[in-house]
Amino acid sequence: MGSSRVSFVEKSLIFAVASSKRLTYHLAALRPRQWTKNLVVFAAPLFAFSINLQSLLASLLAFVLFCCTSSSFYLINDIADVESDRQHPIKCKRPIAAGFVKISVAIGMAVVLLGGGLIIAWQRSPQLGVTISAYGLLQIAYNLRLKRMVILDIGAIATGFVLRALAGAAATNIVLSSWFLLCTAMLALFLGIEKRKAELRLTQIKGNKSRTVLKRYSLGLLNRMENIVTTSTVITYALWSAGPYLHGASTSWMLITLPFVLYGIFRYQLLSDPHEIATHNNNFKLGGCSERPEEVLLKDVPILMTVIGWIITCFTILWLKKQGMIV
């Protein structure tokens, strides 16, 4: 009797551990680290200085819907690229490529997430529904064609961030400044170019170009593109933060936050510099960490502190403006 009880307990523990592992693998297949990109939806109330419970809840809904939609396409992309991912030194560890998540299960998860996200978005508001539907169409176009088209692939990545910002505006009924949208697009282009640079360096080290589009890129071309986009990012943010005179922020005190933006961009460029990678970065063999922007945001302490400092400064300016202490 005692041995039968022990056997039952052991079986229960084994089942619980196995279930926990399966849940972990299925959650990892959704790429939760990538959800940091969807935080852009909160930019609408923040940049419009409209911080209240209603706007935060509406932005949170848009964030969750974008997480569901983006994760569905991560699943679809991993299913479509399962063979090439198995040849990639990093992507081969993804749950679907590694065989931890069955393709049939991944398809079911993608259908539920995408269908549920679209239905809820359209029920919330037509504007939000259109924005998330446009993001879905963009992802389809990207996975089918755009990711193999030079320059347009980076443009598609940037458009995805602009749609995230527009989704936050649609959910909260906030009208965004054109300077803010341009700055979002330029910053997204910057991250996209940095991602391609890291991938290109990785292929030069490994000698195998996992992305077809990388055959059309060179580090020289990407560096020239980066110079233009970096300058445009700084200029558009400065014009927005200059205040209402240029139809930007509601107060010119936002210029105080410009140093945070400058440092963040320069720090990111430092992390992607080949000399820095070779001498100080353990990810040298992987071409650097700028291939994965979400990793930089979560793991690089100076950039994380810069983002936190920028947010605190923005909220301080917002509070002072509401108190009538600044204009």
Side-chain angles (χ1 to χ4, degrees), residues 168-182:
T172 55
N173 295 317
I174 291 174
V175 178
L176 291 174
S177 164
S178 57
W179 289 121
F180 164 72
L181 291 174
L182 281 171

Side-chain angles (χ1 to χ4, degrees), residues 24-184:
T24 301
Y25 290 136
H26 285 75
L27 180 60
L30 302 180
R31 302 193 207 175
R33 287 182 178 272
Q34 300 279 358
W35 292 348
T36 54
K37 299 175 182 177
N38 299 325
L39 292 172
V40 175
V41 302
F42 290 96
L46 177 60
F47 277 79
F49 281 9
S50 178
I51 307 296
N52 53 62
L53 181 60
Q54 183 178 0
S55 65
L56 290 177
L57 289 176
S59 298
L60 179 61
L61 174 62
F63 173 77
V64 172
L65 293 178
F66 252 98
C67 289
C68 292
T69 306
S70 58
S71 288
S72 70
F73 282 102
Y74 292 143
L75 290 167
I76 294 170
N77 185 59
D78 286 351
I79 293 169
D81 296 341
V82 64
E83 294 302 327
S84 62
D85 284 354
R86 286 170 179 165
Q87 307 302 318
H88 194 278
I90 299 175
K91 296 178 182 179
C92 64
K93 299 177 183 179
R94 289 177 178 173
I96 296 176
F100 296 127
V101 176
K102 294 181 179 179
I103 291 180
S104 58
V105 174
I107 292 174
M109 293 168 61
V111 170
V112 171
L113 289 171
L114 180 58
L118 289 173
I119 290 171
I120 296 174
W122 279 99
Q123 287 181 339
R124 175 67 176 83
S125 74
Q127 294 83 0
L128 183 59
V130 167
T131 305
I132 293 185
S133 297
Y135 176 80
L137 292 174
L138 175 67
Q139 291 305 306
I140 293 173
Y142 180 79
N143 290 319
L144 291 179
R145 182 64 179 168
L146 293 179
K147 69 179 181 180
R148 292 182 288 274
M149 299 181 69
V150 66
I151 299 176
L152 292 181
D153 62 323
I154 298 177
I157 294 173
T159 302
F161 280 92
V162 174
L163 288 173
R164 288 176 172 93
L166 289 174
T172 55
N173 295 317
I174 291 174
V175 178
L176 291 174
S177 164
S178 57
W179 289 121
F180 164 72
L181 291 174
L182 281 171
C183 181
T184 301

Side-chain angles (χ1 to χ4, degrees), residues 115-284:
L118 289 173
I119 290 171
I120 296 174
W122 279 99
Q123 287 181 339
R124 175 67 176 83
S125 74
Q127 294 83 0
L128 183 59
V130 167
T131 305
I132 293 185
S133 297
Y135 176 80
L137 292 174
L138 175 67
Q139 291 305 306
I140 293 173
Y142 180 79
N143 290 319
L144 291 179
R145 182 64 179 168
L146 293 179
K147 69 179 181 180
R148 292 182 288 274
M149 299 181 69
V150 66
I151 299 176
L152 292 181
D153 62 323
I154 298 177
I157 294 173
T159 302
F161 280 92
V162 174
L163 288 173
R164 288 176 172 93
L166 289 174
T172 55
N173 295 317
I174 291 174
V175 178
L176 291 174
S177 164
S178 57
W179 289 121
F180 164 72
L181 291 174
L182 281 171
C183 181
T184 301
M186 293 300 106
L187 183 58
L189 283 172
F190 169 78
L191 295 175
I193 292 169
E194 288 291 334
K195 179 179 175 66
R196 287 292 182 264
K197 283 176 61 179
E199 290 173 340
L200 189 58
R201 283 195 299 270
L202 177 61
T203 61
Q204 292 175 346
I205 295 169
K206 296 296 182 180
N208 178 29
K209 294 191 176 182
S210 57
R211 287 185 184 270
T212 305
V213 74
L214 292 177
K215 297 176 181 178
R216 301 290 305 278
Y217 283 116
S218 68
L219 287 178
L221 171 63
L222 290 170
N223 284 331
R224 290 192 296 273
M225 293 170 63
E226 179 188 355
N227 290 337
I228 295 172
V229 169
T230 302
T231 303
S232 300
T233 302
V234 175
I235 290 175
T236 51
Y237 186 85
L239 290 171
W240 172 81
S241 59
Y245 300 107
L246 296 176
H247 304 287
S250 59
T251 172
S252 58
W253 282 90
M254 282 300 294
L255 282 168
I256 296 176
T257 64
L258 183 57
F260 291 104
V261 176
L262 287 170
Y263 178 81
I265 291 174
F266 294 155
R267 173 70 184 177
Y268 202 98
Q269 288 180 313
L270 174 67
L271 295 176
S272 67
D273 183 77
H275 178 72
E276 176 71 13
I277 295 171
T279 55
H280 301 291
N281 197 320
N282 293 328
N283 289 327
F284 171 58

